[in-house]
Amino acid sequence: MDLRRLASFLAVVEEGHFGRAASRLFLSPAAVTGHIQQLEREFGTRLLDRGGGRAVPTTAGRRLASHARTLLAAADAAVEDVSEAAREVTAPHGLRVGVMGHGSAEVTPAAVNAFRRARPDVPVHLVQLNFTEHCSALRENRVDVAFVRPAVEADGIEVDVLTTERRIVGVSAASVFADAVQEGLRVADIIDLPYLRLPRHTPRPFTDYLYFDAGERRAPDCALTPQDVLTSIAAGRGAGSGLASFARYYPWPGTVYVPVLDAPPAQSVLATRTGDPHPEVRIFRALTVALARELGPYAESGPG
């Protein structure tokens, strides 16, 4: 497939209009139309419905759009890779990927594996982050990119949102709330649960996230990792909150996960240093964002 044709097709899908897509790509509308017609001949099916003044992708077109995003991002990554080789720039320590808990669900391992395929000569080091290390691992140059939650706003840090998910609470199977695992609960029901304590130097965004901004009760145990939380919950010593995908990644005997129906959704993000010139960071970021667009709905809802 010609990448120029894919770029034209994706621009039409995103703009919903051939003329606007042509302007965006600095091409003539006739050239964009020709690219779409060539793709449709190549695939042997219609990719866009052109009625009503808008260009709307067909079922086949929607599937192609998903693949086109990944292919074009991979092409951009290849350009970065070759350009770096031409400049004879090498990463002295490879790429250090920080991961808090389960990261961004399925997006995290997919991004790491895609980067390894794209840059087989660059070592990838996975660094487990605890709940206090949203930005500090990046600022202290201990990692180059970080899968963290929730979204943060901090000087010197930029983020790409990867998943947006429903909130859940983890409680002991013996809790009075355990029976609500199917129907769910509301924030007012669970706000005063004894949530696990966090170290005092934990960033405010994470404490607000864990305690739903307002909860004040605290359990006797302190938690730095998901394992700390789950061990205490199963022992009946406290409760914890998280993203919906947490339940899929951490099934734990003695623990149940209850949906919180009216809590605002929360996000997982890829955090990087603002303007980081590291070529490997740019490649990893481009691949991760493209994969998040393709895998996001799956990662947020889970299999089935």
Side-chain angles (χ1 to χ4, degrees), residues 36-170:
I36 303 304
Q37 291 173 341
Q38 289 166 334
L39 278 175
E40 290 182 329
R41 284 196 296 270
E42 184 175 344
F43 283 102
T45 187
R46 187 162 43 83
L47 299 173
L48 294 167
D49 285 326
R50 299 166 174 81
R54 282 186 56 81
V56 179
T58 63
T59 299
R62 288 194 296 273
R63 293 190 182 185
L64 178 60
S66 176
H67 293 297
R69 290 188 181 97
T70 302
L71 288 169
L72 291 170
D76 289 341
V79 171
E80 287 281 359
D81 187 15
V82 174
S83 298
E84 178 198 354
R87 296 190 301 266
E88 296 184 348
V89 176
T90 58
H93 48 60
L95 187 74
R96 300 163 300 174
V97 181
V99 184
M100 178 186 290
H102 68 296
S104 294
E106 284 74 13
V107 177
T108 298
V112 171
N113 290 333
F115 181 83
R116 282 175 167 155
R117 289 192 296 270
R119 300 288 282 123
D121 56 325
V122 176
V124 177
H125 308 286
L126 298 180
V127 180
Q128 194 65 48
L129 303 179
N130 65 45
F131 296 153
T132 72
E133 296 178 300
H134 276 78
C135 301
S136 60
L138 283 166
R139 286 179 171 150
E140 295 167 9
N141 197 32
R142 291 185 282 116
V143 300
D144 301 301
V145 299
F147 290 95
V148 299
R149 59 188 181 279
V152 295
E153 293 184 7
D155 291 340
I157 302 294
E158 55 187 314
V159 300
D160 295 295
V161 174
L162 303 179
T163 68
T164 301
E165 304 180 46
R166 169 179 277 186
R167 298 299 307 281
I168 60 170
V169 292

Side-chain angles (χ1 to χ4, degrees), residues 185-192 195 211-212 214 260-264:
L185 294 168
R186 298 190 174 277
V187 171
D189 300 320
I190 52 86
I191 195 66
D192 289 327
Y195 293 100
Y211 302 140
F212 295 97
V260 184
L261 304 176
D262 59 342

Side-chain angles (χ1 to χ4, degrees), residues 242-290:
L243 304 177
S245 58
F246 186 94
R248 189 164 70 254
Y249 275 77
Y250 294 101
W252 201 269
T255 298
V256 298
Y257 298 103
V258 180
V260 184
L261 304 176
D262 59 342
Q267 298 166 326
S268 71
V269 302
L270 181 71
T272 54
R273 287 180 285 270
T274 301
D276 192 329
H278 193 328
E280 312 300 351
V281 170
R282 295 199 300 272
I283 294 170
F284 188 89
R285 185 177 178 186
L287 288 171
T288 302
V289 170

Side-chain angles (χ1 to χ4, degrees), residues 172 196 219 221-223 227-239 252:
S172 166
L196 275 295
D221 299 335
C222 186
Q227 288 77 13
D228 295 337
V229 174
L230 292 165
T231 300
S232 294
I233 291 174
R237 293 176 59 83
W252 201 269

